[in-house]
Amino acid sequence: MTDTTTNPYGDPTQWDEIPDGWTEAFTTAIEAHGHTVTEAHESAITIDVPGLDEGHEWYIGCPNFHGMWGYGIADERGVADNVTWINADAADPQDIADHVHAILTGAPMERGWMSGSCAVWLPETKPAT
């Protein structure tokens, strides 16, 4: 469980939707890395990634019941066939922005099977689950 005394956003495993404050903090953090948020709503945040097919969007999706954000490329219907999990502190917008930046720039990432799907994390961190 996330410590809500130090985390104003609450436990991500209990979110019905992404809190507005979390989205604002993530947007600030990811923009500091030089990326642009193109859309944000209650269940996903899309990021401008040059070179995608027309109508496709790179996104992170609201954390799952294990507390991991999913990411992938959604087609023009909003469907992403291959979601990968980000194994990081889901409640921390800066930590997720750091991981997303690493993914988008091709930085070295650890990869493994977690919670029924592939997950990635930064090499200097240890998996939480």
Side-chain angles (χ1 to χ4, degrees):
M1 287 295 261
T2 299
D3 180 2
T4 55
T5 60
T6 59
N7 169 21
Y9 310 112
D11 182 353
T13 65
Q14 303 299 311
W15 292 350
D16 289 330
E17 57 186 48
I18 305 167
D20 290 339
W22 194 99
T23 299
E24 291 166 11
F26 172 81
T27 299
T28 299
I30 201 67
E31 287 178 349
H33 282 299
H35 306 287
T36 303
V37 169
T38 55
E39 185 179 357
H41 53 81
E42 65 276 355
S43 62
I45 299 169
T46 59
I47 298 171
D48 181 38
V49 175
L52 296 180
D53 291 341
E54 187 175 337
H56 289 83
E57 297 179 305
W58 198 98
Y59 76 95
I60 60 172
C62 198
N64 66 8
F65 61 93
H66 295 291
M68 289 189 281
W69 287 86
Y71 76 90
I73 298 172
D75 65 19
E76 59 280 344
R77 296 171 297 141
V79 176
D81 292 326
N82 298 306
V83 176
T84 301
W85 301 109
I86 301 171
N87 191 19
D89 182 357
D92 182 350
Q94 183 65 57
D95 194 20
I96 299 304
D98 292 346
H99 279 74
V100 167
H101 174 67
I103 293 163
L104 292 175
T105 59
M109 301 285 288
E110 298 290 331
R111 181 176 289 277
W113 190 255
M114 305 186 90
S115 305
S117 189
C118 190
V120 295
W121 58 93
L122 293 171
E124 63 271 8
T125 61
K126 297 285 184 198
T129 57

mmCIF file of all heavy atoms in Angstrom, residues 40-84:
data_model
loop_
_atom_site.group_PDB
_atom_site.id
_atom_site.type_symbol
_atom_site.label_atom_id
_atom_site.label_comp_id
_atom_site.label_asym_id
_atom_site.label_seq_id
_atom_site.Cartn_x
_atom_site.Cartn_y
_atom_site.Cartn_z
ATOM 1 N N ALA A 40 -4.665 13.881 -22.102
ATOM 2 C CA ALA A 40 -4.734 13.210 -20.800
ATOM 3 C C ALA A 40 -6.194 13.133 -20.386
ATOM 4 O O ALA A 40 -6.921 14.117 -20.467
ATOM 5 C CB ALA A 40 -3.928 13.978 -19.764
ATOM 6 N N HIS A 41 -6.614 11.955 -20.009
ATOM 7 C CA HIS A 41 -7.969 11.801 -19.486
ATOM 8 C C HIS A 41 -7.935 10.811 -18.337
ATOM 9 O O HIS A 41 -6.862 10.447 -17.856
ATOM 10 C CB HIS A 41 -8.974 11.427 -20.585
ATOM 11 C CG HIS A 41 -8.583 10.238 -21.392
ATOM 12 N ND1 HIS A 41 -8.780 8.947 -20.966
ATOM 13 C CD2 HIS A 41 -8.003 10.136 -22.606
ATOM 14 C CE1 HIS A 41 -8.348 8.104 -21.890
ATOM 15 N NE2 HIS A 41 -7.864 8.809 -22.896
ATOM 16 N N GLU A 42 -9.074 10.379 -17.873
ATOM 17 C CA GLU A 42 -9.150 9.613 -16.627
ATOM 18 C C GLU A 42 -8.438 8.260 -16.647
ATOM 19 O O GLU A 42 -8.114 7.719 -15.604
ATOM 20 C CB GLU A 42 -10.607 9.418 -16.201
ATOM 21 C CG GLU A 42 -11.450 8.586 -17.141
ATOM 22 C CD GLU A 42 -12.040 9.367 -18.303
ATOM 23 O OE1 GLU A 42 -11.887 10.595 -18.374
ATOM 24 O OE2 GLU A 42 -12.657 8.712 -19.159
ATOM 25 N N SER A 43 -8.163 7.703 -17.818
ATOM 26 C CA SER A 43 -7.559 6.368 -17.830
ATOM 27 C C SER A 43 -6.253 6.255 -18.604
ATOM 28 O O SER A 43 -5.607 5.210 -18.551
ATOM 29 C CB SER A 43 -8.561 5.348 -18.387
ATOM 30 O OG SER A 43 -8.897 5.663 -19.720
ATOM 31 N N ALA A 44 -5.837 7.303 -19.299
ATOM 32 C CA ALA A 44 -4.597 7.227 -20.071
ATOM 33 C C ALA A 44 -4.036 8.607 -20.345
ATOM 34 O O ALA A 44 -4.756 9.604 -20.326
ATOM 35 C CB ALA A 44 -4.827 6.496 -21.390
ATOM 36 N N ILE A 45 -2.730 8.621 -20.611
ATOM 37 C CA ILE A 45 -2.023 9.840 -20.986
ATOM 38 C C ILE A 45 -1.242 9.520 -22.255
ATOM 39 O O ILE A 45 -0.496 8.538 -22.288
ATOM 40 C CB ILE A 45 -1.062 10.287 -19.869
ATOM 41 C CG1 ILE A 45 -1.845 10.585 -18.576
ATOM 42 C CG2 ILE A 45 -0.238 11.497 -20.310
ATOM 43 C CD1 ILE A 45 -0.974 10.783 -17.353
ATOM 44 N N THR A 46 -1.439 10.308 -23.307
ATOM 45 C CA THR A 46 -0.709 10.066 -24.548
ATOM 46 C C THR A 46 0.429 11.073 -24.679
ATOM 47 O O THR A 46 0.331 12.216 -24.234
ATOM 48 C CB THR A 46 -1.624 10.139 -25.786
ATOM 49 O OG1 THR A 46 -2.240 11.422 -25.851
ATOM 50 C CG2 THR A 46 -2.693 9.064 -25.735
ATOM 51 N N ILE A 47 1.503 10.598 -25.297
ATOM 52 C CA ILE A 47 2.719 11.388 -25.448
ATOM 53 C C ILE A 47 3.087 11.423 -26.926
ATOM 54 O O ILE A 47 3.017 10.393 -27.611
ATOM 55 C CB ILE A 47 3.857 10.784 -24.605
ATOM 56 C CG1 ILE A 47 3.447 10.836 -23.124
ATOM 57 C CG2 ILE A 47 5.170 11.516 -24.838
ATOM 58 C CD1 ILE A 47 4.364 10.084 -22.207
ATOM 59 N N ASP A 48 3.470 12.599 -27.396
ATOM 60 C CA ASP A 48 3.864 12.758 -28.792
ATOM 61 C C ASP A 48 5.157 11.993 -29.045
ATOM 62 O O ASP A 48 6.175 12.243 -28.399
ATOM 63 C CB ASP A 48 4.059 14.242 -29.111
ATOM 64 C CG ASP A 48 4.440 14.464 -30.560
ATOM 65 O OD1 ASP A 48 3.908 13.761 -31.434
ATOM 66 O OD2 ASP A 48 5.276 15.354 -30.807
ATOM 67 N N VAL A 49 5.097 11.041 -29.957
ATOM 68 C CA VAL A 49 6.276 10.268 -30.362
ATOM 69 C C VAL A 49 6.347 10.320 -31.883
ATOM 70 O O VAL A 49 5.520 9.709 -32.562
ATOM 71 C CB VAL A 49 6.196 8.804 -29.862
ATOM 72 C CG1 VAL A 49 7.362 7.985 -30.380
ATOM 73 C CG2 VAL A 49 6.145 8.760 -28.340
ATOM 74 N N PRO A 50 7.319 11.043 -32.413
ATOM 75 C CA PRO A 50 7.447 11.147 -33.876
ATOM 76 C C PRO A 50 7.682 9.775 -34.507
ATOM 77 O O PRO A 50 8.292 8.885 -33.910
ATOM 78 C CB PRO A 50 8.674 12.041 -34.053
ATOM 79 C CG PRO A 50 8.800 12.796 -32.774
ATOM 80 C CD PRO A 50 8.305 11.858 -31.713
ATOM 81 N N GLY A 51 7.167 9.622 -35.731
ATOM 82 C CA GLY A 51 7.428 8.407 -36.492
ATOM 83 C C GLY A 51 6.390 7.311 -36.369
ATOM 84 O O GLY A 51 6.509 6.279 -37.023
ATOM 85 N N LEU A 52 5.363 7.511 -35.551
ATOM 86 C CA LEU A 52 4.313 6.495 -35.454
ATOM 87 C C LEU A 52 3.421 6.561 -36.689
ATOM 88 O O LEU A 52 3.298 7.604 -37.326
ATOM 89 C CB LEU A 52 3.462 6.717 -34.205
ATOM 90 C CG LEU A 52 4.147 6.569 -32.853
ATOM 91 C CD1 LEU A 52 3.143 6.830 -31.729
ATOM 92 C CD2 LEU A 52 4.768 5.190 -32.699
ATOM 93 N N ASP A 53 2.779 5.450 -37.012
ATOM 94 C CA ASP A 53 1.820 5.451 -38.112
ATOM 95 C C ASP A 53 0.698 6.436 -37.803
ATOM 96 O O ASP A 53 0.351 6.664 -36.636
ATOM 97 C CB ASP A 53 1.219 4.053 -38.297
ATOM 98 C CG ASP A 53 2.228 3.053 -38.835
ATOM 99 O OD1 ASP A 53 3.252 3.476 -39.398
ATOM 100 O OD2 ASP A 53 1.982 1.841 -38.676
ATOM 101 N N GLU A 54 0.109 6.987 -38.854
ATOM 102 C CA GLU A 54 -0.988 7.936 -38.684
ATOM 103 C C GLU A 54 -2.110 7.309 -37.860
ATOM 104 O O GLU A 54 -2.517 6.171 -38.094
ATOM 105 C CB GLU A 54 -1.531 8.374 -40.046
ATOM 106 C CG GLU A 54 -2.546 9.478 -39.931
ATOM 107 C CD GLU A 54 -2.996 10.005 -41.281
ATOM 108 O OE1 GLU A 54 -2.245 9.849 -42.268
ATOM 109 O OE2 GLU A 54 -4.095 10.560 -41.329
ATOM 110 N N GLY A 55 -2.598 8.066 -36.887
ATOM 111 C CA GLY A 55 -3.678 7.599 -36.036
ATOM 112 C C GLY A 55 -3.221 6.789 -34.825
ATOM 113 O O GLY A 55 -4.012 6.478 -33.954
ATOM 114 N N HIS A 56 -1.948 6.441 -34.772
ATOM 115 C CA HIS A 56 -1.417 5.684 -33.639
ATOM 116 C C HIS A 56 -0.881 6.643 -32.570
ATOM 117 O O HIS A 56 -0.389 7.717 -32.889
ATOM 118 C CB HIS A 56 -0.307 4.732 -34.088
ATOM 119 C CG HIS A 56 -0.823 3.595 -34.891
ATOM 120 N ND1 HIS A 56 -1.074 3.700 -36.241
ATOM 121 C CD2 HIS A 56 -1.135 2.324 -34.539
ATOM 122 C CE1 HIS A 56 -1.523 2.542 -36.689
ATOM 123 N NE2 HIS A 56 -1.577 1.691 -35.675
ATOM 124 N N GLU A 57 -0.996 6.223 -31.313
ATOM 125 C CA GLU A 57 -0.562 7.056 -30.200
ATOM 126 C C GLU A 57 0.218 6.220 -29.186
ATOM 127 O O GLU A 57 -0.158 5.090 -28.886
ATOM 128 C CB GLU A 57 -1.762 7.676 -29.486
ATOM 129 C CG GLU A 57 -2.570 8.619 -30.345
ATOM 130 C CD GLU A 57 -3.755 9.177 -29.592
ATOM 131 O OE1 GLU A 57 -4.558 8.381 -29.065
ATOM 132 O OE2 GLU A 57 -3.864 10.411 -29.527
ATOM 133 N N TRP A 58 1.272 6.804 -28.646
ATOM 134 C CA TRP A 58 2.037 6.181 -27.567
ATOM 135 C C TRP A 58 1.400 6.644 -26.265
ATOM 136 O O TRP A 58 1.126 7.824 -26.087
ATOM 137 C CB TRP A 58 3.495 6.635 -27.637
ATOM 138 C CG TRP A 58 4.425 5.748 -26.867
ATOM 139 C CD1 TRP A 58 5.190 4.756 -27.380
ATOM 140 C CD2 TRP A 58 4.696 5.775 -25.459
ATOM 141 N NE1 TRP A 58 5.919 4.151 -26.377
ATOM 142 C CE2 TRP A 58 5.629 4.764 -25.183
ATOM 143 C CE3 TRP A 58 4.233 6.545 -24.400
ATOM 144 C CZ2 TRP A 58 6.115 4.503 -23.908
ATOM 145 C CZ3 TRP A 58 4.700 6.282 -23.130
ATOM 146 C CH2 TRP A 58 5.632 5.287 -22.896
ATOM 147 N N TYR A 59 1.150 5.728 -25.349
ATOM 148 C CA TYR A 59 0.414 6.095 -24.141
ATOM 149 C C TYR A 59 0.924 5.325 -22.924
ATOM 150 O O TYR A 59 1.594 4.302 -23.030
ATOM 151 C CB TYR A 59 -1.084 5.804 -24.313
ATOM 152 C CG TYR A 59 -1.356 4.320 -24.188
ATOM 153 C CD1 TYR A 59 -1.733 3.790 -22.964
ATOM 154 C CD2 TYR A 59 -1.154 3.461 -25.254
ATOM 155 C CE1 TYR A 59 -1.909 2.418 -22.827
ATOM 156 C CE2 TYR A 59 -1.338 2.114 -25.119
ATOM 157 C CZ TYR A 59 -1.710 1.596 -23.897
ATOM 158 O OH TYR A 59 -1.867 0.246 -23.761
ATOM 159 N N ILE A 60 0.577 5.859 -21.755
ATOM 160 C CA ILE A 60 0.627 5.093 -20.518
ATOM 161 C C ILE A 60 -0.805 4.995 -20.027
ATOM 162 O O ILE A 60 -1.583 5.936 -20.156
ATOM 163 C CB ILE A 60 1.562 5.700 -19.445
ATOM 164 C CG1 ILE A 60 1.137 7.109 -19.040
ATOM 165 C CG2 ILE A 60 3.004 5.659 -19.900
ATOM 166 C CD1 ILE A 60 1.916 7.658 -17.844
ATOM 167 N N GLY A 61 -1.151 3.830 -19.510
ATOM 168 C CA GLY A 61 -2.505 3.593 -19.035
ATOM 169 C C GLY A 61 -2.536 3.450 -17.526
ATOM 170 O O GLY A 61 -1.566 2.997 -16.907
ATOM 171 N N CYS A 62 -3.643 3.823 -16.945
ATOM 172 C CA CYS A 62 -3.852 3.794 -15.494
ATOM 173 C C CYS A 62 -3.298 2.505 -14.876
ATOM 174 O O CYS A 62 -3.423 1.430 -15.465
ATOM 175 C CB CYS A 62 -5.348 3.923 -15.216
ATOM 176 S SG CYS A 62 -5.725 4.421 -13.540
ATOM 177 N N PRO A 63 -2.666 2.594 -13.711
ATOM 178 C CA PRO A 63 -2.068 1.403 -13.098
ATOM 179 C C PRO A 63 -3.052 0.256 -12.901
ATOM 180 O O PRO A 63 -4.236 0.467 -12.619
ATOM 181 C CB PRO A 63 -1.575 1.912 -11.741
ATOM 182 C CG PRO A 63 -1.398 3.377 -11.917
ATOM 183 C CD PRO A 63 -2.466 3.784 -12.897
ATOM 184 N N ASN A 64 -2.514 -0.952 -13.023
ATOM 185 C CA ASN A 64 -3.327 -2.142 -12.807
ATOM 186 C C ASN A 64 -3.428 -2.451 -11.309
ATOM 187 O O ASN A 64 -2.943 -1.689 -10.472
ATOM 188 C CB ASN A 64 -2.749 -3.337 -13.584
ATOM 189 C CG ASN A 64 -1.382 -3.775 -13.082
ATOM 190 O OD1 ASN A 64 -0.869 -3.315 -12.062
ATOM 191 N ND2 ASN A 64 -0.759 -4.677 -13.815
ATOM 192 N N PHE A 65 -4.039 -3.567 -10.971
ATOM 193 C CA PHE A 65 -4.235 -3.909 -9.562
ATOM 194 C C PHE A 65 -2.935 -4.280 -8.859
ATOM 195 O O PHE A 65 -2.899 -4.404 -7.641
ATOM 196 C CB PHE A 65 -5.288 -5.016 -9.400
ATOM 197 C CG PHE A 65 -4.931 -6.296 -10.084
ATOM 198 C CD1 PHE A 65 -4.273 -7.307 -9.411
ATOM 199 C CD2 PHE A 65 -5.268 -6.496 -11.417
ATOM 200 C CE1 PHE A 65 -3.945 -8.495 -10.044
ATOM 201 C CE2 PHE A 65 -4.957 -7.680 -12.064
ATOM 202 C CZ PHE A 65 -4.290 -8.682 -11.371
ATOM 203 N N HIS A 66 -1.836 -4.406 -9.600
ATOM 204 C CA HIS A 66 -0.519 -4.603 -8.995
ATOM 205 C C HIS A 66 0.201 -3.262 -8.796
ATOM 206 O O HIS A 66 1.296 -3.219 -8.257
ATOM 207 C CB HIS A 66 0.364 -5.488 -9.885
ATOM 208 C CG HIS A 66 -0.141 -6.878 -10.023
ATOM 209 N ND1 HIS A 66 -0.133 -7.781 -8.986
ATOM 210 C CD2 HIS A 66 -0.670 -7.537 -11.077
ATOM 211 C CE1 HIS A 66 -0.627 -8.937 -9.398
ATOM 212 N NE2 HIS A 66 -0.973 -8.795 -10.664
ATOM 213 N N GLY A 67 -0.398 -2.187 -9.288
ATOM 214 C CA GLY A 67 0.212 -0.869 -9.165
ATOM 215 C C GLY A 67 1.244 -0.574 -10.226
ATOM 216 O O GLY A 67 2.154 0.214 -10.000
ATOM 217 N N MET A 68 1.122 -1.181 -11.398
ATOM 218 C CA MET A 68 2.067 -0.911 -12.479
ATOM 219 C C MET A 68 1.343 -0.245 -13.647
ATOM 220 O O MET A 68 0.279 -0.697 -14.067
ATOM 221 C CB MET A 68 2.728 -2.206 -12.956
ATOM 222 C CG MET A 68 3.705 -2.775 -11.950
ATOM 223 S SD MET A 68 4.675 -4.143 -12.612
ATOM 224 C CE MET A 68 3.504 -5.486 -12.481
ATOM 225 N N TRP A 69 1.949 0.838 -14.152
ATOM 226 C CA TRP A 69 1.437 1.502 -15.341
ATOM 227 C C TRP A 69 1.711 0.622 -16.548
ATOM 228 O O TRP A 69 2.765 0.007 -16.651
ATOM 229 C CB TRP A 69 2.148 2.837 -15.547
ATOM 230 C CG TRP A 69 1.742 3.892 -14.576
ATOM 231 C CD1 TRP A 69 2.268 4.104 -13.333
ATOM 232 C CD2 TRP A 69 0.733 4.878 -14.761
ATOM 233 N NE1 TRP A 69 1.637 5.163 -12.736
ATOM 234 C CE2 TRP A 69 0.693 5.659 -13.591
ATOM 235 C CE3 TRP A 69 -0.137 5.178 -15.802
ATOM 236 C CZ2 TRP A 69 -0.178 6.718 -13.434
ATOM 237 C CZ3 TRP A 69 -1.004 6.234 -15.651
ATOM 238 C CH2 TRP A 69 -1.026 6.999 -14.470
ATOM 239 N N GLY A 70 0.774 0.591 -17.480
ATOM 240 C CA GLY A 70 1.004 -0.085 -18.748
ATOM 241 C C GLY A 70 1.359 0.949 -19.798
ATOM 242 O O GLY A 70 0.941 2.104 -19.720
ATOM 243 N N TYR A 71 2.162 0.541 -20.778
ATOM 244 C CA TYR A 71 2.437 1.445 -21.894
ATOM 245 C C TYR A 71 2.414 0.665 -23.195
ATOM 246 O O TYR A 71 2.574 -0.557 -23.217
ATOM 247 C CB TYR A 71 3.769 2.194 -21.729
ATOM 248 C CG TYR A 71 5.008 1.375 -22.004
ATOM 249 C CD1 TYR A 71 5.549 1.310 -23.288
ATOM 250 C CD2 TYR A 71 5.643 0.672 -20.992
ATOM 251 C CE1 TYR A 71 6.693 0.567 -23.546
ATOM 252 C CE2 TYR A 71 6.782 -0.067 -21.235
ATOM 253 C CZ TYR A 71 7.310 -0.123 -22.504
ATOM 254 O OH TYR A 71 8.429 -0.859 -22.755
ATOM 255 N N GLY A 72 2.178 1.388 -24.256
ATOM 256 C CA GLY A 72 2.158 0.762 -25.567
ATOM 257 C C GLY A 72 1.786 1.765 -26.634
ATOM 258 O O GLY A 72 1.709 2.964 -26.383
ATOM 259 N N ILE A 73 1.550 1.243 -27.809
ATOM 260 C CA ILE A 73 1.113 2.057 -28.942
ATOM 261 C C ILE A 73 -0.296 1.618 -29.299
ATOM 262 O O ILE A 73 -0.525 0.452 -29.619
ATOM 263 C CB ILE A 73 2.059 1.894 -30.146
ATOM 264 C CG1 ILE A 73 3.467 2.374 -29.761
ATOM 265 C CG2 ILE A 73 1.520 2.663 -31.356
ATOM 266 C CD1 ILE A 73 4.518 2.083 -30.803
ATOM 267 N N ALA A 74 -1.216 2.564 -29.208
ATOM 268 C CA ALA A 74 -2.609 2.279 -29.545
ATOM 269 C C ALA A 74 -2.858 2.633 -31.005
ATOM 270 O O ALA A 74 -2.329 3.623 -31.516
ATOM 271 C CB ALA A 74 -3.543 3.086 -28.644
ATOM 272 N N ASP A 75 -3.667 1.805 -31.659
ATOM 273 C CA ASP A 75 -3.999 2.084 -33.059
ATOM 274 C C ASP A 75 -5.100 3.134 -33.135
ATOM 275 O O ASP A 75 -5.529 3.691 -32.116
ATOM 276 C CB ASP A 75 -4.375 0.796 -33.799
ATOM 277 C CG ASP A 75 -5.648 0.135 -33.286
ATOM 278 O OD1 ASP A 75 -6.475 0.795 -32.597
ATOM 279 O OD2 ASP A 75 -5.830 -1.052 -33.574
ATOM 280 N N GLU A 76 -5.569 3.397 -34.353
ATOM 281 C CA GLU A 76 -6.576 4.451 -34.542
ATOM 282 C C GLU A 76 -7.894 4.168 -33.828
ATOM 283 O O GLU A 76 -8.699 5.059 -33.627
ATOM 284 C CB GLU A 76 -6.820 4.714 -36.041
ATOM 285 C CG GLU A 76 -7.289 3.526 -36.830
ATOM 286 C CD GLU A 76 -6.165 2.567 -37.239
ATOM 287 O OE1 GLU A 76 -4.986 2.933 -37.178
ATOM 288 O OE2 GLU A 76 -6.481 1.427 -37.607
ATOM 289 N N ARG A 77 -8.122 2.929 -33.418
ATOM 290 C CA ARG A 77 -9.327 2.589 -32.647
ATOM 291 C C ARG A 77 -9.080 2.660 -31.141
ATOM 292 O O ARG A 77 -9.968 2.409 -30.353
ATOM 293 C CB ARG A 77 -9.804 1.186 -33.007
ATOM 294 C CG ARG A 77 -10.254 1.058 -34.450
ATOM 295 C CD ARG A 77 -10.499 -0.396 -34.825
ATOM 296 N NE ARG A 77 -9.213 -1.118 -34.720
ATOM 297 C CZ ARG A 77 -9.082 -2.349 -34.251
ATOM 298 N NH1 ARG A 77 -10.118 -3.033 -33.865
ATOM 299 N NH2 ARG A 77 -7.897 -2.907 -34.189
ATOM 300 N N GLY A 78 -7.828 2.980 -30.741
ATOM 301 C CA GLY A 78 -7.492 3.051 -29.326
ATOM 302 C C GLY A 78 -7.111 1.712 -28.728
ATOM 303 O O GLY A 78 -7.050 1.560 -27.510
ATOM 304 N N VAL A 79 -6.837 0.723 -29.571
ATOM 305 C CA VAL A 79 -6.504 -0.624 -29.106
ATOM 306 C C VAL A 79 -4.990 -0.819 -29.148
ATOM 307 O O VAL A 79 -4.348 -0.538 -30.160
ATOM 308 C CB VAL A 79 -7.189 -1.693 -29.992
ATOM 309 C CG1 VAL A 79 -6.771 -3.096 -29.581
ATOM 310 C CG2 VAL A 79 -8.697 -1.529 -29.931
ATOM 311 N N ALA A 80 -4.434 -1.299 -28.051
ATOM 312 C CA ALA A 80 -3.005 -1.632 -27.988
ATOM 313 C C ALA A 80 -2.883 -3.125 -27.717
ATOM 314 O O ALA A 80 -3.320 -3.612 -26.679
ATOM 315 C CB ALA A 80 -2.326 -0.838 -26.888
ATOM 316 N N ASP A 81 -2.321 -3.841 -28.683
ATOM 317 C CA ASP A 81 -2.231 -5.295 -28.552
ATOM 318 C C ASP A 81 -1.151 -5.764 -27.592
ATOM 319 O O ASP A 81 -1.295 -6.789 -26.952
ATOM 320 C CB ASP A 81 -1.981 -5.928 -29.922
ATOM 321 C CG ASP A 81 -3.180 -5.776 -30.842
ATOM 322 O OD1 ASP A 81 -4.312 -5.800 -30.340
ATOM 323 O OD2 ASP A 81 -2.967 -5.626 -32.052
ATOM 324 N N ASN A 82 -0.050 -5.045 -27.503
ATOM 325 C CA ASN A 82 1.080 -5.496 -26.692
ATOM 326 C C ASN A 82 1.420 -4.473 -25.619
ATOM 327 O O ASN A 82 2.250 -3.599 -25.822
ATOM 328 C CB ASN A 82 2.303 -5.742 -27.586
ATOM 329 C CG ASN A 82 2.030 -6.824 -28.600
ATOM 330 O OD1 ASN A 82 1.638 -7.919 -28.235
ATOM 331 N ND2 ASN A 82 2.218 -6.510 -29.867
ATOM 332 N N VAL A 83 0.788 -4.616 -24.477
ATOM 333 C CA VAL A 83 1.038 -3.712 -23.360
ATOM 334 C C VAL A 83 2.214 -4.246 -22.554
ATOM 335 O O VAL A 83 2.305 -5.435 -22.280
ATOM 336 C CB VAL A 83 -0.210 -3.590 -22.468
ATOM 337 C CG1 VAL A 83 0.072 -2.735 -21.251
ATOM 338 C CG2 VAL A 83 -1.372 -3.026 -23.268
ATOM 339 N N THR A 84 3.118 -3.361 -22.173
ATOM 340 C CA THR A 84 4.227 -3.691 -21.289
ATOM 341 C C THR A 84 4.044 -2.890 -20.004
ATOM 342 O O THR A 84 3.587 -1.750 -20.031
ATOM 343 C CB THR A 84 5.583 -3.336 -21.940
ATOM 344 O OG1 THR A 84 5.699 -4.061 -23.163
ATOM 345 C CG2 THR A 84 6.749 -3.694 -21.037
#
